[in-house]
């Protein structure tokens, strides 16, 4: 047998769910934002704005969970078991593994993560009747395998659980010679590294402050201006004035652009060879904010 076997979780249904949800949310958000431009301030305006506000936090979350699913793997080696779920990586020395069993063999139902959906069974729960946690890195609650260590239990969902168990048994019979040290990598480690890098921290903070300043400026300016005109027509005449409250859509769009650049920058920041792209994305968010400031200035002029 080879010295390393890589198993993957079933991801078809999870990928379909994530892509469908992302598409629906984006279309609903764009539809709501487009219609919000054509109505006056009131319940209808906020009703149209609601799909966009819902999509704003959910789309980045779903994109991250989809990326985690596509990059998930369970690697079996003679010396260790390496679990990867997106930015979460757990290296377990084989000498620390007490047993690997199916969830059915445990004789009791496991508490699943409260927030879960197809392709994203991820989180930590307290194991019933025990003093340790069970951490899920799985795409489905069916066919779960549980890896026991002295500190924690890990629930995984390899597509071929029987082969995983047979391979684990084989490596157990071979014995471990030079097990690596245990290590845990969490998404928060990346955030801490980003925050500890001064240029990255400054770019992220400047982008956030500019987004906040634009929102404050527009909010203060709206009460003093009843109507505004967004540019001129092809004949050089000002466009039909609209209620100034619709200017609040500009800070919202700017914030959305900032969040996209922020998340893409975090993804690129993970690796040294793509870190320059992270700085480019965060610099772009600052440039876009400046463009929105200029646009608001000329609209209010």
């Amino acid at each position: 047998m080879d010295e390393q076997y890589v198993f993957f979780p079933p991801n078809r249904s999870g990928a379909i769910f994530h892509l469908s949800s992302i598409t629906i949310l984006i279309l609903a958000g764009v539809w709501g934002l487009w219609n919000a431009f054509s109505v006056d301030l009131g319940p209808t305006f906020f009703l149209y704005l609601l799909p966009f506000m819902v999509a704003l936090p959910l789309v980045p979350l779903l994109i991250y969970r989809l990326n985690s699913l596509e990059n998930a793997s369970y690697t079996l080696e003679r010396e260790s078991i390496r679990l990867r779920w997106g930015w979460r990586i757990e290296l377990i020395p084989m000498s620390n593994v007490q047993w690997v069993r199916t969830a059915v063999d445990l004789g009791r139902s496991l508490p699943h993560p409260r927030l879960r959906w197809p392709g994203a069974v991820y989180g930590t729960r307290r194991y019933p009747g025990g003093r340790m946690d069970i951490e899920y890195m799985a795409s489905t609650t069916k066919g779960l395998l549980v890896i026991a260590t002295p500190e924690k239990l890990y629930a995984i969902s390899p597509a071929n659980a029987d082969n995983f168990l047979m391979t684990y048994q084989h490596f157990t019979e071979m014995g471990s010679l030079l097990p690596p040290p245990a290590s845990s990598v969490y998404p928060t480690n990346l955030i801490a590294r980003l925050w500890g890098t001064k240029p990255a921290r400054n770019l992220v903070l400047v982008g956030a402050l500019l987004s906040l300043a634009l929102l404050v400026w527009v909010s203060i300016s709206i009460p003093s201006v009843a109507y505004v005109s967004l540019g001129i027509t092809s004949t050089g005449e000002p466009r039909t004035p609209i209620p100034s409250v619709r200017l609040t859509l500009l800070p919202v769009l700017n914030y959305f652009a900032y969040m996209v650049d922020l998340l893409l920058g975090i993804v690129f920041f993970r690796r040294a060879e793509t870190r320059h792209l992270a700085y480019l994305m965060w610099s772009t968010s600052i440039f876009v904010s400046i463009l929105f400031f200029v646009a608001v200035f000329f609209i209010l002029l």
Side-chain angles (χ1 to χ4, degrees), residues 203 207 254 257-258 261 280-290:
L203 287 173
N254 178 67
Y258 168 76
D261 289 332
L280 177 62
M281 298 305 302
W282 296 329
S283 299
T284 300
S285 70
I286 295 175
F287 178 70
V288 170
S289 294
I290 293 174

Side-chain angles (χ1 to χ4, degrees), residues 190 193 197 200 265 267-282:
L190 175 63
R193 191 166 77 246
T197 306
V267 172
F268 291 133
F269 188 80
R270 294 165 52 217
R271 300 177 180 177
E273 59 269 22
T274 59
R275 195 158 296 172
H276 65 284
L277 295 176
Y279 293 117
L280 177 62
M281 298 305 302
W282 296 329

